[in-house]
Amino acid sequence: IYGNKTDLLIDRNAEKKNIVYLLQHKLAPELYATFQNGLVYEFVPGSTLKFETVNDPKVWKLVAENMARMHKLPLTADESTKDPMLLTKTLKFLDLIPEKFSDPLKHER
């Protein structure tokens, strides 16, 4: 189930397309179903990377190899003219931060 207001930052249609595309290249879990408020996909056993594990040469090499595989994939026909979006997404994220929080402690932080 999607988090509250995450659709303000994440394009859910693009997310589904990307998962399907990555799955075709064995870089994503099987997508079983999509709903208006979420996705159901295959469970992949594992653990969250921690400082100690990410510094393990066996682990970081696997991460680097798979990131390289993903970034070498050709763009699909409808994406072939897309510009890099890191700056656009970062600015969109920053625009979601309120000017002032109603909770004074939160605002000060």
Side-chain angles (χ1 to χ4, degrees), residues 16-17 19-20 23 28-34 39-42:
K16 290 174 201 172
K17 274 181 26 182
I19 289 174
V20 169
L23 173 61
E30 184 78 39
L31 182 61
Y32 297 130
T34 62
L39 304 170
V40 179
Y41 50 84
E42 176 183 17

Side-chain angles (χ1 to χ4, degrees), residues 55-70:
N55 283 311
D56 180 339
K58 287 183 263 177
V59 174
W60 65 254
K61 284 179 184 176
L62 283 172
V63 171
E65 287 168 3
N66 282 291
M67 290 296 290
R69 277 183 58 215
M70 183 179 73

Side-chain angles (χ1 to χ4, degrees), residues 11-104:
D11 178 340
R12 296 302 178 186
N13 291 324
E15 179 183 37
K16 290 174 201 172
K17 274 181 26 182
N18 290 337
I19 289 174
V20 169
Y21 184 65
L22 291 173
L23 173 61
Q24 292 168 351
H25 297 277
K26 298 183 169 112
L27 288 166
E30 184 78 39
L31 182 61
Y32 297 130
T34 62
F35 305 95
Q36 189 161 348
N37 66 337
L39 304 170
V40 179
Y41 50 84
E42 176 183 17
F43 174 76
V44 178
S47 59
T48 304
L49 291 176
K50 297 181 176 137
F51 182 79
E52 297 79 22
T53 55
V54 80
N55 283 311
D56 180 339
K58 287 183 263 177
V59 174
W60 65 254
K61 284 179 184 176
L62 283 172
V63 171
E65 287 168 3
N66 282 291
M67 290 296 290
R69 277 183 58 215
M70 183 179 73
H71 282 93
K72 286 181 183 178
L73 293 176
L75 294 175
T76 60
D78 62 326
E79 295 174 325
S80 61
T81 59
K82 282 203 172 176
D83 294 323
M85 60 180 173
L86 178 63
L87 179 60
T88 306
K89 283 288 185 185
T90 302
L91 292 173
K92 190 172 182 180
F93 177 75
L94 292 173
D95 283 342
L96 295 174
I97 300 171
E99 293 289 324
K100 184 173 177 144
F101 291 93
S102 57
D103 178 347

